[in-house]
Amino acid sequence: MISITQAPVVQAEMLIRKPAAEVFEAFVNPEITTRFWFTRSSGRLEAGKKIRWDWEMYGVGDDIHVLAIEENRRIRIESSDATQTEWLFTPRGEHETFVTIIPSGFAGDGDSVVQQAIDSMGGYTMVLCGLKALLEHNVVLNLVADKAPDAHVT
């Protein structure tokens, strides 16, 4: 049997060819975020706020607490399952931003923690790809909805 001695460290990263302010805004402003990630939000991300995100096609949602916001640089949230996610926005010149998403706090046995880490990395990579297509080419790819079409409830 294989066992793990440390929780996996997960990072999803992508270069987005837009200024940091525009990329940051895409994650804090639900009018933009709903075009590439979740389908509904109870509001804009602001430090200290509790927000609801829904993926209506799957009949699921999450209540998040916004732990920290550093304008155009960093977002940190905690989900209802106590996992945390941090977004880092690193400018590369005036017109490019390297986005790093780091989820953490996976719980359960080793197999469960590894599966959660793999799912998170894949999911956040898909989110970044959708964001890139939207911001760089104004294309909505419907990646999240198309990931599991047989699981749609609506």
Side-chain angles (χ1 to χ4, degrees), residues 36-40 52-62 123 126-127 141-154:
F36 67 93
W37 191 5
F38 44 79
T39 57
R40 185 174 54 199
R52 172 79 179 179
W53 288 341
D54 290 298
W55 291 263
E56 296 164 297
M57 71 292 250
Y58 298 119
V60 298
D62 195 9
M126 188 170 45
V127 165
L141 294 176
N142 296 315
L143 294 171
V144 175
D146 292 346
K147 168 73 168 83
D150 294 337
H152 288 199
V153 296
T154 59

Side-chain angles (χ1 to χ4, degrees), residues 1 4 16 19 23 28 34 44 48 56 63 66 82 85 88 101-102 105 127 136 141-142 151:
M1 170 173 231
I4 63 171
I16 309 292
V23 178
V28 298
T34 54
R44 183 179 178 87
E56 296 164 297
D63 296 310
V66 183
T85 304
L88 302 173
I101 303 176
I102 309 164
V127 165
E136 291 184 14
L141 294 176
N142 296 315

Side-chain angles (χ1 to χ4, degrees), residues 34-139:
T34 54
R35 297 185 66 206
F36 67 93
W37 191 5
F38 44 79
T39 57
R40 185 174 54 199
S41 173
S42 65
R44 183 179 178 87
L45 296 186
E46 296 174 12
K49 277 183 82 173
K50 294 194 187 244
I51 302 290
R52 172 79 179 179
W53 288 341
D54 290 298
W55 291 263
E56 296 164 297
M57 71 292 250
Y58 298 119
V60 298
D62 195 9
D63 296 310
I64 63 147
H65 180 219
V66 183
L67 301 174
I69 295 275
E70 294 175 32
E71 190 79 16
N72 304 332
R73 296 178 38 99
R74 179 176 170 256
I75 300 167
R76 187 166 184 84
I77 65 164
E78 183 173 67
S79 296
S80 58
D81 64 1
T83 58
Q84 293 190 9
T85 304
E86 182 172 47
W87 287 258
L88 302 173
F89 303 87
T90 305
R92 298 244 174 130
E94 292 181 29
H95 305 290
E96 294 180 344
T97 306
F98 192 71
V99 182
T100 302
I101 303 176
I102 309 164
S104 62
F106 307 116
D109 64 25
D111 290 341
S112 178
V113 168
V114 168
Q115 190 59 56
Q116 290 172 62
I118 291 168
D119 289 348
S120 288
M121 189 165 67
Y124 282 121
T125 298
M126 188 170 45
V127 165
L128 287 170
C129 290
L131 172 66
K132 184 177 184 70
L134 179 65
L135 293 186
E136 291 184 14
H137 306 286
N138 199 30
V139 173

